[in-house]
Amino acid sequence: QVGKALAVLNDTDSDQDIFVASSAGTFRFAVENDGDLRLRNAALISNASDGTLSLSEPTIQLVGSTALDVDAPSFNLATQATDIELINTNASALTISESTNNYLAIDTSGEIMSFGNATTNPTFNFLGTGAVSIAGAEGSTKLTLTAGDAVISDGSLAVTDDDDAATSFSVVNNA
């Protein structure tokens, strides 16, 4: 409201900034005539359209004990290639969870990716017609089922012996 503010700046031309701040002659920030905020490194913060806040810099960095709280149901990264870098050698480099129930946990100190937990026992589905490949060093254990049953439905099982060991495939019943 005009007249209610401590100071009112009304620049009637269209080619000058409304407000410029400097320290000892060094530019710090400006409020441009279109309402954008120009920072000392020439980065722009703009709200040219409703619902959109634009920052002209390629990196947004939160430092200290800060968190990014996005009050939206989704992130849309469809307009760019995306790479998520995780901190190295950290047991909790990335977790996807509901409260304390992890659905996905990535441990970069042990190079471990964990799905689910002993409390919630979520079900994970790999949908589509693609293949699941498990690779590793020859002779190492690639897949271990510690409890429960392995079921193949509407498919087949093929075992390929590539190491010429006499006991490449075994079935053990401990009942």
Side-chain angles (χ1 to χ4, degrees):
Q1 296 176 354
V2 176
K4 300 291 184 183
L6 177 62
V8 175
L9 304 173
N10 184 19
D11 183 14
T12 58
D13 61 30
S14 61
D15 64 344
Q16 299 294 313
D17 293 332
I18 296 171
F19 181 82
V20 177
S22 63
S23 174
T26 302
F27 174 80
R28 295 298 183 218
F29 75 92
V31 177
E32 296 184 339
N33 60 18
D34 62 358
D36 289 351
L37 178 64
R38 186 173 71 247
L39 305 177
R40 67 179 175 179
N41 63 350
L44 286 178
I45 299 174
S46 175
N47 184 13
S49 62
D50 288 343
T52 301
L53 181 65
S54 300
L55 176 63
S56 65
E57 292 299 296
T59 301
I60 298 173
Q61 182 178 15
L62 303 175
V63 295
S65 301
T66 58
L68 178 61
D69 184 1
V70 178
D71 189 18
S74 64
F75 285 102
N76 184 348
L77 302 173
T79 61
Q80 63 217 345
T82 305
D83 179 26
I84 298 174
E85 293 287 337
L86 300 179
I87 189 170
N88 195 18
T89 63
N90 188 297
S92 298
L94 175 69
T95 59
I96 297 175
S97 56
E98 179 273 319
S99 185
T100 58
N101 300 320
N102 287 340
Y103 292 98
L104 170 68
I106 298 177
D107 172 355
T108 55
S109 63
E111 305 299 326
I112 300 166
M113 185 180 291
S114 301
F115 296 94
N117 58 65
T119 306
T120 57
N121 298 313
T123 298
F124 296 93
N125 297 308
F126 296 95
L127 306 174
T129 58
V132 175
S133 298
I134 301 172
E138 177 112 16
S140 66
T141 301
K142 308 293 191 299
L143 179 63
T144 302
L145 182 65
T146 58
D149 298 322
V151 177
I152 298 173
S153 62
D154 196 24
S156 59
L157 173 66
V159 177
T160 303
D161 178 6
D162 190 34
D163 63 3
D164 294 326
T167 58
S168 296
F169 181 75
S170 62
V171 176
V172 177
N173 185 348
N174 292 326

